[in-house]
Amino acid sequence: MSRRGPESGPEGYSYAYEGDQLRGGDQLAGGGYDYGDDDPRYRETHPQDPYDDAPRRRRPRRRRWPYVVAALILVPLIVIVGGYFYLDSRLKREAVLEDYAGRVADTPGTNWLIVGSDSREGLSKQQRKDYATGKAAGRRTDSMMLLHYGEGTTTLVSLPRDSYVPIPGHGSNKLNAAFAFGGPKLLVQTVEKATKLRIDHYAEIGFGGFVGVVDAIGGVDICVKQKMQDPKAGLDLKPGCQTLTGGEALGYVRTRKSARADLDRVDHQRQFFGALMKKAGSPGVFLNPFKSIPLAMNATGNFTVDTDDHLIDLVRMMWAMKGVSGGNGVTTAVPIGGAGSSSSAGAYLTWDKAKSGKLFDALRNDEKVPDEAITK
């Protein structure tokens, strides 16, 4: 018999029958009863619905500024570190500073041998014609400088390529002949034996790299004392202060067409490198990515260094040279004592033994070079 209508339930709670079954929703799993939602027992049988309209506690909003600050620090750091290793990988490396029997012991301070070679690598046919570099293959030394820095005064010394010195295994000859006989490795040995200084780092740049570096910074400012014309160096300059392009600067440091020939040339080379470091370290270049980036790319892509040298070493070298050009150091050349000639070497220059001895003694002891050993 079916029933319909309310019935009293346990403890006064009512429920309804529809036929012989409880109405849908009133019968709970396991035969329980559907209590009202205001009854405490309702919570026991009805877990709270996460989507109900009951007020919920708001979660605190996460602070984003630490992530922003971290990104602002990490992104530039990654760019700088990555850029350093990329530029370092562009350096050309060659085993130059290797030990040999009788090598001079380590000396205080840091010594660089900086070489400008006549390598035509990187120059187009038109550039070779414009700069009058010729078509010779290989590379020979066109300029050599010794840079010393440490506790004493930073000193930049020009080594005339016509200097007559003993070359290991080849008798006595011009200094640049050492490079022709045995490349940079033999040149370093020759300089070490002649000066009794231990060379710690080596840097070499050819004609193409030279021109690229100068043009990357918009030229260098040079004051020319008198008119200079030298077709063999592709040079034609008027007297006065002016900005030289890469090709003009190359001719300026190469020319020997003057009364003192090689001695005038080493003066021009020191003058040029001083102007180059001053311009390269200026805010107009250093803070200008349109000049600083091409400068870095040209310099690292055209420098040859020892296998143990790195970009940080080149930066230190350039910083030291910048200090010298700014007056915080000494620029000089090896004091010359005379001249001579031989069938094997041709015309050459000899060093003043007393003055050059004082010069290199001071550098060996990381001391200030005495005035009498400085060539004005």
Side-chain angles (χ1 to χ4, degrees):
M1 176 178 178
S2 66
R3 293 177 296 175
R4 184 180 184 84
E7 297 288 344
S8 296
E11 299 184 20
Y13 288 95
S14 64
Y15 54 88
Y17 283 100
E18 180 120 11
D20 290 329
Q21 305 293 327
L22 287 170
R23 275 206 306 260
D26 292 339
Q27 187 177 21
L28 302 178
Y33 298 96
D34 188 13
Y35 302 107
D37 59 9
D38 58 344
D39 190 281
R41 285 169 290 185
Y42 177 85
R43 295 289 182 182
E44 298 176 5
T45 59
H46 292 73
Q48 186 174 3
D49 187 347
Y51 299 103
D52 64 12
D53 295 330
R56 290 172 291 175
R57 180 180 296 177
R58 296 180 63 185
R59 292 182 179 181
R61 185 174 296 177
R62 292 182 178 180
R63 295 180 179 180
R64 296 181 179 179
W65 65 265
Y67 301 98
V68 175
V69 172
L72 292 175
I73 295 174
L74 289 177
V75 171
L77 183 61
I78 292 172
V79 172
I80 292 172
V81 173
Y84 171 85
F85 284 105
Y86 170 69
L87 292 174
D88 185 73
S89 69
R90 286 172 53 83
L91 291 170
K92 300 176 182 179
R93 291 185 166 86
E94 185 175 339
V96 177
L97 305 176
E98 295 185 343
D99 284 333
Y100 55 89
R103 187 180 186 189
V104 62
D106 194 17
T107 51
T110 300
N111 298 308
W112 278 85
L113 182 60
I114 305 168
V115 174
S117 76
D118 64 358
S119 170
R120 277 76 171 170
E121 183 179 353
L123 292 178
S124 65
K125 290 183 178 180
Q126 186 60 47
Q127 286 177 316
R128 293 183 183 189
K129 180 179 179 182
D130 293 341
Y131 307 152
T133 62
K135 301 179 181 180
R139 69 194 208 261
R140 288 151 293 276
T141 50
D142 219 51
S143 63
M144 290 161 284
M145 290 184 291
L146 181 66
L147 175 68
H148 172 88
Y149 55 86
E151 297 296 328
T153 305
T154 301
T155 306
L156 181 64
V157 183
S158 292
L159 306 174
R161 72 172 194 173
D162 290 344
S163 300
Y164 195 67
V165 294
I167 299 176
H170 297 273
S172 292
N173 209 315
K174 291 179 181 179
L175 181 58
N176 68 332
F179 196 97
F181 293 148
K185 188 183 299 185
L186 183 58
L187 176 64
V188 167
Q189 294 182 22
T190 301
V191 171
E192 287 186 336
K193 287 186 174 296
T195 64
K196 301 299 187 293
L197 282 166
R198 176 87 166 226
I199 302 300
D200 304 299
H201 302 281
Y202 177 84
E204 176 192 331
I205 190 167
F207 284 171
F210 184 100
V211 171
V213 166
V214 174
D215 286 339
I217 61 175
V220 292
D221 301 323
I222 295 288
C223 290
V224 180
K225 295 180 180 180
Q226 58 189 13
K227 186 176 181 178
M228 299 179 68
Q229 285 185 320
D230 184 0
K232 292 184 178 181
L235 187 64
D236 186 6
L237 298 178
K238 296 179 180 180
C241 295
Q242 52 203 287
T243 300
L244 303 186
T245 64
E248 291 170 336
L250 180 61
Y252 186 73
V253 300
R254 288 178 58 211
T255 184
R256 304 175 71 191
K257 194 174 182 181
S258 63
R260 298 171 66 238
D262 198 41
L263 295 179
D264 282 335
R265 185 163 75 162
V266 296
D267 287 344
H268 295 159
Q269 290 168 355
R270 291 201 309 274
Q271 181 189 12
F272 163 78
F273 275 102
L276 176 65
M277 292 300 108
K278 182 178 180 180
K279 182 73 173 287
S282 67
V285 171
F286 186 73
L287 300 178
N288 183 350
F290 295 101
K291 290 185 177 180
S292 59
I293 293 177
L295 172 62
M297 295 293 285
N298 273 280
T300 54
N302 290 286
F303 263 112
T304 296
V305 297
D306 181 61
T307 50
D308 291 331
D309 286 331
H310 293 280
L311 182 60
I312 187 63
D313 299 310
L314 276 180
V315 172
R316 290 170 180 158
M317 179 267 283
M318 292 177 180
W319 187 259
M321 291 191 70
K322 183 179 182 296
V324 172
S325 65
N328 296 321
V330 173
T331 59
T332 185
V334 179
I336 300 301
S341 64
S342 70
S343 58
S344 59
Y348 58 75
L349 299 171
T350 58
W351 293 353
D352 184 305
K353 291 185 179 181
K355 292 181 179 180
S356 63
K358 291 181 180 180
L359 168 65
F360 296 126
D361 279 345
L363 299 183
R364 275 194 298 273
N365 294 303
D366 198 18
E367 299 173 347
K368 181 181 178 181
V369 177
D371 290 341
E372 62 268 23
I374 297 175
T375 301
K376 303 296 184 180

